[in-house]
Amino acid sequence: MARIKPFRALRPPKDLAGKVAALPYDVMSTEEARVMATGNLCSFLHISRPEIDLPPDVDPHSEPVYAKGKENLRKFIDEGYLVQDGADCYYVYRQKMGVLTQTGLVVCAGVDDYQGGVIKKHELTRADKEEDRVRHIHYLDANDEPVFLTCKCHPAITGLIEEITTGAAEYDFTTNDGVIHTLWLVDERERIDILTGMFAGLPTLYVADGHHRSAAASQVRELRKGRNPAHDGGEEYNFFLAVIFPDTEMNIMPYNRVVKNLNQNSVAEFMAKVATRFEITPTSSAMEPCRRHQFGMYIGKKWYELLPREGAFDENDAVARLDVSILQDNLLSPVLGIRNPRTDQRIHFVGGIRGTGELERLVDSDEYDVAFALYPTSMEELMDMADTGKIMPPKSTWFEPKLRSGLFVHPLS
């Protein structure tokens, strides 16, 4: 059973919600965050990316940065940019991007469920990124950004949430990327109890996005548990901030790759080696894959279609048949020498929302030498991996629209 609970969120007043809301910390560079927050003193980036308020040469993972985040959170509370609700609530959060709409329930999810496998994951985490989030959460004494969870669609839950959305919204604003964000409070005890009971009937939740945040929340709980002789399991640090969406509303985009240098190959040598594993066909325009097992490659200002040759992968192997695995096993590792994409500094991952134009820009700038466009992983593939205890290659999924940070914060004390 999935254990969720309501909480007293720190959140912005209605008139500030659109100004406070910010993209997640990990979808931008420090430089991009500085630009986004320019002229906006209440942008949540001052908390999620506090290095933007320090000199440009500061290490984003140094003590002064975490301390600045803590200072900025206190400032936001003191200035009234964030105000804590007086009673425990759930919150319904809807995002509309073009024709796509996703509506989720904002909750506190249980670390016990995460550790016990009720909340299933499909990716490994990097130790350095996990440690960064542990220190960030510990200094803030709060979960400041939610984990993106999904569950198999439950008609009764969906029906009750739809009923809630017929009421007056607490927030309703549009961000500069055209996404409409709407939030409703669920503060009636009866509805809170019904929702809690409904989710208790679900056997499984899945981490869609936020593996490092959920893993860090688990570490923080263990640290605080060890320091609290009166620990009873009910403390706020036993729970982490999450938004749960039904799988039927999820939108996965491709997670593309760019690579620095060709592993001491000339372009001709590289193309010859790729041709042993893939059929290569030049294209007259940007190659955006439209089906599984089709890839786009951009090199030397030209696009190519790549199709894996017979025998390149085992279609009966759930991991090997993933497109991210096919590319890794047949090209990135044997040709470009990228054995571990989790740690190799030569590879960079580009969310599909940025399009093929961003791949062209990165390669044409000479910062990278070759780019690969992939077809998106499906929700069925993700859940199959999680249900069977298997792990996807890193950066297999890119979800859109992104949850905005700053609309709800979960204090741990």
Side-chain angles (χ1 to χ4, degrees), residues 341-394:
R342 294 175 63 232
T343 58
D344 198 306
Q345 298 302 305
R346 293 169 50 221
I347 189 168
H348 177 63
F349 303 91
V350 183
I353 192 70
R354 294 178 180 248
T356 53
E358 176 67 2
L359 301 182
E360 294 177 359
R361 185 190 71 79
L362 290 170
V363 174
D364 291 347
S365 71
D366 293 329
E367 185 179 358
Y368 295 89
D369 292 273
V370 62
F372 302 96
L374 286 79
Y375 188 70
T377 302
S378 70
M379 278 302 302
E380 291 76 14
E381 289 173 322
L382 183 155
M383 288 182 164
D384 183 50
M385 292 292 103
D387 285 338
T388 56
K390 295 177 180 177
I391 298 298
M392 284 184 172

Side-chain angles (χ1 to χ4, degrees), residues 126 313 353:
R126 281 175 45 179
F313 64 96
I353 192 70

